[in-house]
């Protein structure tokens, strides 16, 4: 069963489908952040749109797979940020639902799409060829992003301002957890060659 699923993940039509979905999601995500980016100082622009940047990293991973290559730095960035921001967005939308008692349909769409985001990064973990130093660079990027968000207050705006210190604390530990998961799945275990 596992072998069949691994073969399925490596089918070119599956990779192309995921590439199209992630590319569309990336574009939508950058548009979603448009209003926040409009009043973001230029020095922070790269670090504000978290989820679309995570899916953009995965777009590069998929392009590499389709070219029968591996781009390990993008693999490291993708698995860490897809899981982190996928879980983060699910939790934030559930928090909004819990506090406000309702969630617009876009919130449910974000829960579903971000849960899928987190899962897809993990599904392809056996095929990544990253080394420890790639993961270290991804860790620097991820923790630096947390500093930009919660020290310089560039975090995504979710109408949860009263809870920002708690969200920042949660986000820091989610970053470390995401790095640990990537380490366990990609550095400690044997890699599988993606069959195309």
């Amino acid at each position: 069963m596992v072998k069949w699923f691994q073969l399925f993940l490596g089918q070119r039509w599956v990779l192309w489908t995921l590439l199209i979905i992630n590319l569309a999601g990336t574009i939508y995500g950058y548009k979603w952040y448009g209003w926040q980016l409009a009043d973001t100082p230029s020095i922070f622009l790269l670090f504000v749109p978290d989820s679309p940047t995570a899916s953009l990293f995965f777009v590069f991973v998929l392009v590499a797979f389709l070219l029968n290559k591996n781009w390990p730095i993008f693999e490291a960035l993708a698995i860490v940020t897809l899981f982190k921001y996928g879980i983060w967005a699910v939790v934030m939308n559930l928090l909004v639902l819990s506090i406000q008692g309702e969630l617009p349909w876009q919130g449910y769409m974000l829960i579903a799409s971000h849960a899928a985001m987190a899962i897809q990064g993990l599904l392809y973990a056996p095929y990544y060829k990253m080394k420890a130093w790639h993961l270290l660079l991804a860790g620097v990027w991820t923790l630096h992003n947390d500093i930009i968000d919660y020290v310089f207050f560039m975090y995504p705006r979710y109408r949860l301002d009263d809870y920002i210190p708690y969200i920042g604390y949660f986000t820091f530990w989610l970053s470390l957890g995401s790095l640990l998961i990537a380490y366990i799945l990609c550095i400690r275990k044997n890699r599988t060659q993606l069959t195309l």
Side-chain angles (χ1 to χ4, degrees), residues 61-88:
V61 170
L62 293 168
V63 168
F65 285 167
L66 286 164
L67 295 173
N68 292 314
K69 297 180 181 298
N70 285 85
W71 294 335
I73 189 60
F74 287 111
E75 293 168 358
L77 287 164
I79 189 172
V80 172
T81 59
L82 284 173
F83 184 80
K84 173 188 173 180
Y85 295 118
I87 298 301
W88 188 92

Side-chain angles (χ1 to χ4, degrees), residues 9-65:
L9 290 176
Q11 296 297 307
R12 293 187 72 81
W13 71 268
V14 174
L15 295 172
W16 274 108
T17 301
L18 286 174
L19 178 61
I20 292 165
I21 291 169
N22 279 274
L23 194 54
T26 299
I27 293 166
Y28 173 81
Y30 283 119
K31 286 186 177 182
W32 188 86
Y33 273 97
W35 59 276
Q36 185 171 347
L37 291 172
D39 62 5
T40 297
S42 59
I43 194 171
F44 298 127
L45 283 174
L46 190 60
F47 301 99
V48 169
D50 299 325
S51 295
T53 301
S55 60
L56 180 61
F57 292 147
F58 195 57
V59 164
F60 287 116
V61 170
L62 293 168
V63 168
F65 285 167

Side-chain angles (χ1 to χ4, degrees), residues 130 132 135 178-189:
M130 71 180 77
L135 188 57
S178 301
L179 288 163
L180 178 61
I181 288 170
Y183 174 78
I184 291 169
L185 293 178
C186 301
I187 306 298
R188 281 186 46 191
K189 76 183 296 276

